[in-house]
Amino acid sequence: MTTIVQQPPPTPTPTPPQITLTVPSTSIHSNDHTGTLIIIKTLIIPIITRCHAGYFRITLSLCCQTLLWKTLKDPPENAHAYRRILGLFPSTAFLLLWSLSLLILTTLSILYILRCALFSNMVKTEYLNHIGVNYLFAPWISWLLLLQTAPFLTPKTVYYLLLWWLFVVPIFVLDVKIYGQWFTKGKRILSRVANPASQLSVVGNFVGARAAAQMGWKESAMVLFTLGMVHYMVVFVTLYQRLSGNTCLPTVLRPVMFLFIAAPSMASLAWDEISGTFDFSSKMLFYLSMFLFLCLVTRPNLFKSSMKKFNVVWWAYSYPLTVLALAATEYAQDTKSSFAHLLMLLLSALSVMVSIVLMVYTALNTNTLLPPDDACDPTNATLDPINVSSINLDSSLESSS
């Protein structure tokens, strides 16, 4: 007989007690604050520290290119056949270029304002650098050029006048400081600090004079033009006498030499607007620009070493070529000869082609657009590499945790 032994039922495994954790709201806010600081430290701060005033070369070129497109798309009634052909370009292309210029200029301006607020010592170093100080004019020149191409503002409006004052006053203040240093301070006199970038300081006066003349403010235009013209002659003679042995310009910055073309071309346009006609003075400045252009383009080996690796300084080619094309446009309209209009077409095509190539190169090299060891950054020549922790973000992280 089989005996059936009943197994005791299995003892149920005790369920571990459920523990409810209550996270204080202050911890959540602390983590959010910490994450925000980490993002600022790793992404935004390096961009601000590396975005020096030299990056406004891009906006100088784009804004001037916008002015060229606006000039060509609105031919006068008695324009030559070549000029009327260029007027067939759609207005949409101009509006897109103007919008792109506004976007990039606004972005760079915001970044540089943050640089002034957070790293004032770096801005001071740019001001003390004999090359970097000249690019402090570039943002104001860019805004003045963009103002002259605005599709919704005319020179006779109050808003145009207010914006003109907003952009011209900083140029005048910089003129007083820099021109005064050129002939009063021993270490910063012009003969010691002169370099091709010094011509940007006079270009700002010519751009402001042209905008003032468009408003009908001829006296203000004459003041700015006189300041720019007198100092341009001094700068030009100084550079002409010592440029062959000039050691103030690194090899990578040799494209800046194209500013030799920009200054007389912009002066030609400014005087054309002041006098109301492209007279002998404007033509002489235009002829000087053409001569300097030929002197530079016939010496490609001079720029060969600076073209081995992409750098934002390449944009120094575009702005002077565009200003020269603008001056050629006014010259062709005055002479009305087929040769002058053919020259206008060639220079305009070259300017547009160079600008498009630079846009493509910049888009393909965005990862190296803000290098940490940029040789063109004035702060790298006089300051150690920037340590982001120097702005006490680490202590903020510790206190928040």
Side-chain angles (χ1 to χ4, degrees):
M1 182 175 180
T2 304
T3 303
I4 301 175
V5 179
Q6 294 183 354
Q7 297 292 334
T11 304
T13 303
T15 303
Q18 300 294 325
I19 301 176
T20 302
L21 295 178
T22 303
V23 181
S25 58
T26 55
S27 300
I28 297 177
H29 292 307
S30 177
N31 292 335
D32 291 344
H33 183 60
T34 302
T36 303
L37 290 176
I38 292 175
I39 292 175
I40 294 175
K41 179 178 178 179
T42 57
L43 295 178
I44 301 178
I45 294 299
I47 294 177
I48 296 174
T49 57
R50 299 170 190 172
C51 187
H52 53 83
Y55 282 90
F56 284 96
R57 295 184 183 98
I58 300 176
T59 57
L60 273 176
S61 302
L62 291 178
C63 294
C64 195
Q65 190 69 211
T66 306
L67 181 59
L68 176 64
W69 283 45
K70 180 181 180 180
T71 303
L72 295 178
K73 82 178 185 65
D74 296 326
E77 296 180 357
N78 58 344
H80 193 275
Y82 292 160
R83 180 74 178 273
R84 290 198 297 269
I85 292 175
L86 294 176
L88 298 177
F89 284 104
S91 300
T92 306
F94 162 73
L95 292 175
L96 289 175
L97 182 60
W98 189 88
S99 301
L100 176 64
S101 303
L102 177 62
L103 176 63
I104 296 178
L105 181 54
T106 302
T107 303
L108 285 178
S109 299
I110 292 174
L111 289 175
Y112 201 78
I113 290 173
L114 293 175
R115 181 183 175 95
C116 294
L118 300 177
F119 299 97
S120 58
N121 60 323
M122 299 183 72
V123 179
K124 182 180 179 180
T125 303
E126 287 187 73
Y127 176 76
L128 296 177
N129 185 273
H130 65 282
I131 297 176
V133 65
N134 301 290
Y135 284 95
L136 297 179
F137 288 88
W140 313 109
I141 297 174
S142 300
W143 280 112
L144 280 171
L145 290 171
L146 198 65
L147 177 64
Q148 296 176 50
T149 62
F152 50 83
L153 281 178
T154 59
K156 302 298 182 180
T157 59
V158 177
Y159 297 106
Y160 192 102
L161 173 62
L162 293 176
L163 290 173
W164 180 85
W165 276 108
L166 179 64
F167 303 143
V168 165
V169 169
I171 291 178
F172 187 79
V173 172
L174 287 171
D175 284 345
V176 173
K177 295 291 293 183
I178 294 175
Y179 294 168
Q181 290 175 351
W182 283 355
F183 64 88
T184 59
K185 288 197 174 182
K187 292 184 178 181
R188 296 181 65 83
I189 58 175
L190 183 61
S191 59
R192 299 189 60 170
V193 301
N195 62 89
S198 301
Q199 297 173 100
L200 267 180
S201 62
V202 300
V203 169
N205 290 283
F206 297 143
V207 175
R210 186 174 187 270
Q214 289 179 340
M215 295 189 301
W217 286 32
K218 296 297 179 70
E219 291 299 320
S220 299
M222 282 298 300
V223 170
L224 292 173
F225 183 85
T226 302
L227 290 175
M229 199 64 211
V230 170
H231 287 89
Y232 168 67
M233 290 188 291
V234 175
V235 171
F236 182 75
V237 172
T238 304
L239 293 174
Y240 209 98
Q241 290 177 335
R242 67 189 293 270
L243 188 60
S244 59
N246 191 0
T247 58
C248 293
L249 194 68
T251 301
V252 70
L253 290 178
R254 284 183 180 174
V256 176
M257 293 180 66
F258 266 70
L259 285 174
F260 274 103
I261 306 170
S265 298
M266 199 69 237
S268 176
L269 292 171
W271 185 254
D272 171 46
E273 200 69 41
I274 292 172
S275 63
T277 179
F278 205 83
D279 57 12
F280 291 123
S281 299
S282 296
K283 288 180 181 179
M284 286 191 295
L285 291 167
F286 173 69
Y287 295 150
L288 174 61
S289 304
M290 287 299 304
F291 173 77
L292 295 174
F293 172 71
L294 293 175
C295 289
L296 292 174
V297 298
T298 54
R299 290 168 174 80
N301 291 333
L302 184 64
F303 307 97
K304 185 177 180 180
S305 56
S306 63
M307 301 297 292
K308 295 179 180 179
K309 184 179 179 181
F310 174 78
N311 195 290
V312 70
V313 75
W314 288 14
W315 281 91
Y317 292 119
S318 177
Y319 170 67
L321 288 175
T322 307
V323 181
L324 182 61
L326 279 166
T329 302
E330 299 299 330
Y331 174 73
Q333 179 60 28
D334 180 77
T335 59
K336 295 182 173 58
S337 67
S338 298
F339 173 78
H341 280 83
L342 182 60
L343 178 64
M344 175 198 69
L345 289 176
L346 292 176
L347 291 175
S348 299
L350 178 62
S351 170
V352 173
M353 182 182 66
V354 169
S355 298
I356 292 176
V357 169
L358 288 172
M359 289 182 195
V360 173
Y361 263 95
T362 304
L364 295 177
N365 294 274
T366 52
N367 56 332
T368 60
L369 193 59
L370 291 166
D373 54 348
D374 187 5
C376 302
D377 188 351
T379 58
N380 286 339
T382 53
L383 289 181
D384 294 330
I386 299 299
N387 185 1
V388 178
S389 62
S390 63
I391 61 173
N392 298 327
L393 283 178
D394 289 337
S395 59
S396 300
L397 291 173
E398 292 175 1
S399 61
S400 62
S401 60

